[in-house]
């Protein structure tokens, strides 16, 4: 019998009665979806990426949770929903569908993932793939990396995907930079651990416009919305205010108001089983917050997605406020930079 891999402590926690978190990844395509090759692609490309995609979670005779390989019935993992006919755009139908599947826990009797193929156009896409992956399968980086390995570049499928990277330092600057980043990492780790410990035991955020405070908020429906920003505009703000890039952060503490996660995506346009991807985003669902935000870069754009508690947070208003706030930050950073170069000129104008 093939050796069974133990489930990590994090995986056990994320699939327990206390917390049961799923990751949704939404790929929007620029052409209508032909799903005739979907089963074959899942068999030849998706399943070999990670053995857990072909495994279920079981307990041995000692009560230890392990991953056990099984024969995957791919037709049970591929969903093709049917929406009402006659609509020009299906944004509302897609939103309702995502809300519904985000509330449904993945069954533990089969591998913890599925794919929905949405063959209806929306205002932003000709079709949509929705991957649903249980967080026990891996952390955000490993799950997104698994999906990225299924993608091909549109310009040349034989070339690997490329991702943004920091400019390498050299010599003494490299050593000083490394030492500074290491010290920041140590301080931040200690601070975050202490803060998380207090949050999980004695502290709790107050009820606010982004925290309802209701029990079992993870079981309530959500609205998934997003907006896009220019990566060049973000770089301009960073340069003008001498800012630093943030690293990936994922927190799922019941007493917190907000969970945020961010990730870098491909620089070139990619395709998924022959369908060019016009944009994508991801979201953790069934997390114990009223609001979860994720950020991902793709083709010189940054997409900010928000999973908001339905009936409590007005998603449209939130998106509008976020976009206006970014515009105000960008304009303020540009004006402040101009004041540094031409202070006397601006004084005359005043």
């Amino acid at each position: 019998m093939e050796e069974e891999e133990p489930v990590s402590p994090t995986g056990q926690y994320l699939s327990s009665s206390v917390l049961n978190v799923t990751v949704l990844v939404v790929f929007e395509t620029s052409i209508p979806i032909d799903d005739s090759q979907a089963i074959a692609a899942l068999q030849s490309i998706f399943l070999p990426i990670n053995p857990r995609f072909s495994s279920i979670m079981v307990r041995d005779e000692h009560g230890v949770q392990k991953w056990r390989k099984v024969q995957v019935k791919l037709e049970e993992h591929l969903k093709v929903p049917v929406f009402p006919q006659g609509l020009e755009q299906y944004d509302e139908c897609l939103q309702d569908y995502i809300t519904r599947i985000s509330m449904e826990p993945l069954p533990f009797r089969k591998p913890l993932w599925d794919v929905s193929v949405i063959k209806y156009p929306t205002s932003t896409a000709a079709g949509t793939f929705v991957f649903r992956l249980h967080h026990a399968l891996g952390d955000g980086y490993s799950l997104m990396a698994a999906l990225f390995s299924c993608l091909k570049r549109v310009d040349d499928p034989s070339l690997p995907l490329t991702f943004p990277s920091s400019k390498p330092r050299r010599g003494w600057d490299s050593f000083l930079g490394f030492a500074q980043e290491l010290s920041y990492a140590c301080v931040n780790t200690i601070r975050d651990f202490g803060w998380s410990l207090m949050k999980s035991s004695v502290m709790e955020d107050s009820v606010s416009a982004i925290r309802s405070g209701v029990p079992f908020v993870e079981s309530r429906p959500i609205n998934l919305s997003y907006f896009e920003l220019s990566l060049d505009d973000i770089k301009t703000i960073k340069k003008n205010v001498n800012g630093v890039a943030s690293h990936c952060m994922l927190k799922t503490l019941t007493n917190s108001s907000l969970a945020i996660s961010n990730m870098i995506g491909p620089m070139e346009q990619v395709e998924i089983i022959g369908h060019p991807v016009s944009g994508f985003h991801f979201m953790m669902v069934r997390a114990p917050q009223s609001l979860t935000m994720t950020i991902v870069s793709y083709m010189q754009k940054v997409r900010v997605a928000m999973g908001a508690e339905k009936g409590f947070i007005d998603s449209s208003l939130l998106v509008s406020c976020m976009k206006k706030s970014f515009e105000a930050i960008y304009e303020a950073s540009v004006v402040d930079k101009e004041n540094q170069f031409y202070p006397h000129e601006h004084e005359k104008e005043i």
Side-chain angles (χ1 to χ4, degrees), residues 216-235:
F216 309 110
V217 67
E218 63 271 17
S219 300
R220 296 176 65 86
I222 66 167
N223 276 327
L224 181 57
S225 56
Y226 71 84
F227 62 95
E228 289 186 334
L229 305 171
S230 165
L231 188 57
D232 289 336
D233 288 348
I234 294 175
K235 290 178 179 178

Side-chain angles (χ1 to χ4, degrees), residues 26-47:
V26 180
F27 289 101
E28 298 174 339
T29 66
S30 57
I31 62 173
I33 294 179
D34 174 12
D35 63 340
S36 60
Q37 300 300 314
I39 292 289
L42 290 173
Q43 181 71 54
S44 61
I45 301 174
F46 181 75
L47 289 186

Side-chain angles (χ1 to χ4, degrees), residues 238-257:
K238 176 179 178 291
K239 179 181 178 182
N240 290 348
V241 302
N242 195 27
V244 295
S246 62
H247 296 285
C248 182
M249 177 177 63
L250 172 60
K251 297 181 179 179
T252 53
L253 299 174
T254 306
N255 293 340
S256 300
S257 298

Side-chain angles (χ1 to χ4, degrees), residues 49-248:
I49 294 171
N50 190 327
R52 296 177 188 175
F53 294 160
S54 304
S55 303
I56 61 173
M57 198 180 292
V58 299
R59 290 184 183 273
D60 64 15
E61 62 274 14
H62 304 293
V64 178
Q65 287 183 288
K66 294 186 175 182
W67 294 105
R68 176 176 295 171
K69 290 277 288 183
V70 296
Q71 187 68 35
V72 183
K73 298 179 180 179
L74 289 172
E75 62 276 5
E76 295 183 356
H77 294 263
L78 184 65
K79 303 179 183 298
V80 186
V82 177
F83 295 159
Q85 296 295 321
L87 302 179
E88 291 186 7
Q89 296 178 346
Y90 287 81
D91 296 67
E92 187 173 348
C93 292
L94 177 59
Q95 178 65 256
D96 291 342
Y97 180 77
I98 289 178
T99 297
R100 179 167 63 81
I101 65 173
S102 68
M103 295 176 62
E104 297 174 353
L106 287 159
F108 282 83
R109 58 180 174 79
K110 56 186 180 181
L112 297 170
W113 62 271
D114 61 32
V115 183
S116 295
V117 179
I118 314 298
K119 303 170 71 173
Y120 299 91
T122 65
S123 58
T124 57
T128 309
F129 290 98
V130 182
F131 285 78
R132 194 165 60 131
L133 308 164
H134 200 288
H135 220 323
L137 293 170
D139 59 28
Y141 272 115
S142 61
L143 292 179
M144 292 301 292
L147 293 182
F148 286 161
S149 65
C150 299
L151 307 177
K152 299 292 184 183
R153 287 175 53 161
V154 170
D155 59 347
D156 189 343
S158 65
L159 295 177
L161 308 186
T162 59
F163 299 85
S165 60
S166 301
K167 294 181 180 180
R169 300 185 181 95
R170 296 182 178 180
W172 183 246
D173 288 340
S174 177
F175 174 77
L176 290 178
F178 172 77
Q180 185 181 42
E181 290 181 2
L182 181 62
S183 63
Y184 284 158
C186 293
V187 171
N188 289 337
T189 299
I190 296 172
R191 182 193 61 191
D192 289 345
F193 177 77
W195 183 250
S196 299
L197 186 63
M198 290 189 293
K199 276 287 187 180
S200 61
S201 55
V202 297
M203 295 182 63
E204 182 177 353
D205 283 356
S206 302
V207 173
S208 66
I210 61 170
R211 184 174 189 268
S212 66
V214 301
F216 309 110
V217 67
E218 63 271 17
S219 300
R220 296 176 65 86
I222 66 167
N223 276 327
L224 181 57
S225 56
Y226 71 84
F227 62 95
E228 289 186 334
L229 305 171
S230 165
L231 188 57
D232 289 336
D233 288 348
I234 294 175
K235 290 178 179 178
T236 298
I237 295 173
K238 176 179 178 291
K239 179 181 178 182
N240 290 348
V241 302
N242 195 27
V244 295
S246 62
H247 296 285
C248 182

Side-chain angles (χ1 to χ4, degrees), residues 282-313:
F282 68 100
M283 179 58 57
M284 290 85 64
V285 297
R286 298 180 63 82
Q289 285 88 26
S290 296
L291 179 62
T292 300
M293 297 179 62
T294 64
I295 306 166
V296 66
S297 63
Y298 176 54
M299 291 198 308
Q300 295 302 306
K301 294 285 187 181
V302 173
R303 181 171 291 194
V304 181
M306 292 174 286
E309 182 182 345
K310 194 172 184 178
F312 176 68
I313 296 177

